[in-house]
Amino acid sequence: MATSAVPGAIAALLDILRSPPIDNVSVLDGPPTDDIQTQDLIVIGWSAEGDQAATFTQDWNAAGARTRDETVGISGWIDVWSGDTGFTAVRARAFELLGEVEQRIRATGPNPTAPTLNGAVLWAELSVGQLYQSHADQGIRAALGFTVSCHARI
């Protein structure tokens, strides 16, 4: 019996975001280990504001203590860099990538089970986001912290 849907939900979300690949974007599992100054990233299970990969809460689903309902929040991070000095383009690119995340977890022709993260959860949705903008030594960055919220029965 599974203790939590978190590991399977993260693995399924990564699979959905990696296939097919998104042009010129690295999709990472957990914290980046290389220099991320000059690449567009989508990171699942990490946020630059802290190392929290996911949250979850569980409650019994009914009397009898046979199954539990679990609410999961998977942390994600989108990072876009540019050697330019204006934020308009990097901000637009960050939201374009967030739109790609959202579109890929919706039921579509090529992936009708995406809202369940291919069966890992009962449903998933993009639920929270935060925009960050900064100047770096090599240019400017726009980043979006986001949460994919899920509901599972274990």
Side-chain angles (χ1 to χ4, degrees):
M1 173 190 267
T3 301
S4 175
V6 170
I10 290 174
L13 181 56
L14 286 163
D15 287 345
I16 289 168
L17 293 175
R18 288 177 172 160
S19 182
I22 303 167
D23 289 342
N24 301 315
V25 176
S26 296
V27 177
L28 305 179
D29 180 1
T33 57
D34 296 329
D35 180 15
I36 62 170
Q37 291 290 325
T38 59
Q39 56 186 318
D40 291 351
L41 299 174
I42 297 175
V43 185
I44 301 301
W46 180 75
S47 169
E49 359 172 76
D51 290 330
Q52 180 176 297
T55 61
F56 63 95
T57 59
Q58 297 179 353
D59 293 303
W60 294 114
N61 117 321
R66 295 182 186 270
T67 59
R68 293 175 66 76
D69 286 334
E70 182 174 44
T71 301
V72 174
I74 301 171
S75 299
W77 189 261
I78 293 170
D79 202 292
V80 176
W81 173 88
S82 171
D84 296 333
T85 57
F87 284 103
T88 302
V90 292
R91 185 174 44 244
R93 175 69 172 155
F95 276 94
E96 175 186 340
L97 294 178
L98 185 65
E100 185 73 26
V101 171
E102 183 177 22
Q103 186 61 32
R104 287 184 180 221
I105 60 176
R106 288 185 181 192
T108 61
N111 197 356
T113 61
T116 66
L117 299 182
N118 297 336
V121 297
L122 296 174
W123 56 258
E125 66 179 343
L126 185 65
S127 61
V128 177
Q130 309 89 25
L131 172 64
Y132 301 87
Q133 300 179 144
S134 63
H135 292 274
D137 293 345
Q138 298 172 327
I140 57 168
R141 310 185 76 76
L144 286 167
F146 65 91
T147 300
V148 173
S149 296
C150 312
H151 185 74
R153 178 147 302 146
I154 53 173

